Amino acid sequence: MTTTTTAAPPATRSQVRVLVVACLILFVDGYDLFTVGTIGPSLLRDPSWGATGSTLGTLGAATALGMPLGSVLAGSGADRWGRRTPMVVAVTWISATMLVSAIVPNLNSLVAVRFCTGIGIGALVPLVSAYVTDGAPARRRTLHLAIALGSMGVGGAASALLGRLILPGHHFQTVFLIGALSIILVPFIWSIVPANAVGRTSERERMTSLFVPSSRRATVLFWIAAFMSMALVYSTTAWLPTVMIKNGYNLNSSLEFLIAFTIGASFGSMAMAVFADRGYLKFVTFGLFALSAVAMLVLSSNQPRPLLLVVSALAGLGSLGCQGMVIAYISAFYAKRNRATSLGLALGVGRIGAIVGPLYLSVVTATIASPRAGFYGFMVPAIFGAVAVVFLPRLRATAADQG
């Protein structure tokens, strides 16, 4: 792992275009991912749909189940056909499924279509991560990835804001209809993203290369780290407010926590990315997993408001930031010719963690009487993720530039 203190040259116009395209695509990803939460109250109030409290969980689970399939297919396709074609297919697929979501007449149909949407959502992160790493300045790759991945949160916020503006005055399916407008990005992607494939190796050769002696340990450890990072992210976003209230925090404290949690994740991740790009990517990735575990331990004891806000921001940085750093580490470790394949497989495994994480926390909180059990439950994937990173090999200095 090479450390350097020299300033990175400014990004070129083409590198800025890469980042803009990536941010637009992941904005769509975030919007689509958060639509179920946005429409939830309106769906439950509509008697003609017969939705119950478990309906939103079913819709979210259906979306999540499609994501691993999308990640694996997209990663393999991007290294076989280049980045452009799979990106266009994924965005078109998402737009089409959002359009269908806007016109289906019942819950069973909506659940099926959300599974299909999940395939497209799962495809976008490995595709865009590989594309950004290919085109970013050599010493700003992690920063560019952090900016692009941050657009998912912006898209999710836009979905929530739009829902607040148009619901309940309009039917909840209008939110899906607006999401279908992502099709307008297709000509933009087609004109900017290169068409050429990045390598001439077969899919079998790319898969085999992940398990040669020099890479097999890293591949398995990356899968573990991806699984743990997404289990941590999805369990905290789904359960933290509930766990905090159960532990004695009041509702206002929980809402303040969510604000600090989000701000800490957004701005802290940018700062950590700059540090990581100076040659400390492994250290930063380990540190964020560890920070999350420590923050959850501190939060398990009721804290005064000022300390709560500070620790909440650190918890957000650790819990959400580690996911982006794992993606950056994978992107930097593997050669360009099989970067998307490695990302797709790792994130496919990681998406399973996204499904398991909330279920695991529900079991922990239901079976262990202690009000602190939820916080200890959050610490488990953080600790396992940190341990996996410890045993990862150091980055090969030229890995991100290899063909």
Side-chain angles (χ1 to χ4, degrees), residues 209-220:
S209 70
L210 302 182
F211 295 97
V212 297
S214 61
S215 298
R216 71 166 68 105
R217 184 185 71 173
T219 295
V220 173

Side-chain angles (χ1 to χ4, degrees), residues 95-298:
S95 180
T97 58
M98 291 293 275
L99 179 61
V100 175
S101 296
I103 60 176
V104 292
N106 55 57
L107 280 176
N108 289 336
S109 300
L110 184 58
V111 168
V113 178
R114 284 304 297 177
F115 171 80
C116 295
T117 304
I119 296 174
I121 293 173
L124 289 183
V125 171
L127 286 172
V128 173
S129 298
Y131 175 58
V132 170
T133 305
D134 293 346
R139 293 200 292 273
R140 289 183 178 171
R141 287 191 172 104
T142 308
L143 177 60
H144 279 222
L145 265 176
I147 293 171
L149 293 170
S151 298
M152 294 176 66
V154 178
S159 175
L161 178 60
L162 181 67
R164 182 168 185 150
L165 292 174
I166 70 173
L167 302 176
H170 295 78
H171 195 272
F172 71 84
Q173 286 175 289
T174 305
V175 177
F176 292 123
L177 184 61
I178 293 172
L181 295 176
S182 57
I183 193 68
I184 65 177
L185 288 180
V186 168
F188 186 57
I189 297 169
W190 191 264
S191 64
I192 291 179
V193 179
N196 56 300
V198 295
R200 297 182 178 179
T201 55
S202 67
E203 182 173 353
R204 180 185 178 88
E205 290 172 320
R206 289 194 301 273
M207 293 289 292
T208 303
S209 70
L210 302 182
F211 295 97
V212 297
S214 61
S215 298
R216 71 166 68 105
R217 184 185 71 173
T219 295
V220 173
L221 290 170
F222 278 130
W223 289 6
I224 295 172
F227 180 96
M228 295 301 167
S229 70
M230 290 202 185
L232 179 61
V233 167
Y234 282 80
S235 62
T236 53
T237 53
W239 277 95
L240 251 177
T242 302
V243 169
M244 291 185 72
I245 292 172
K246 186 175 182 180
N247 201 56
Y249 291 98
N250 60 42
L251 181 59
N252 287 337
S253 294
S254 297
L255 294 176
E256 290 175 349
F257 161 81
L258 286 176
I259 295 171
F261 188 88
T262 305
I263 292 174
S266 300
F267 292 96
S269 293
M270 302 293 179
M272 290 296 99
V274 172
F275 189 56
D277 277 332
R278 298 176 74 86
Y280 299 101
L281 181 54
K282 178 176 180 176
F283 176 78
V284 171
T285 307
F286 166 81
L288 291 179
F289 274 114
L291 176 64
S292 179
V294 172
M296 294 303 172
L297 180 62
V298 174

Side-chain angles (χ1 to χ4, degrees), residues 309-342:
L309 295 178
V310 172
V311 178
S312 296
L314 294 176
L317 171 58
S319 300
L320 300 181
C322 65
Q323 180 181 349
M325 291 302 157
V326 169
I327 292 172
Y329 207 147
I330 296 169
S331 299
F333 183 82
Y334 293 97
K336 185 176 181 179
R337 63 181 175 272
N338 65 347
R339 180 175 296 139
T341 298
S342 61

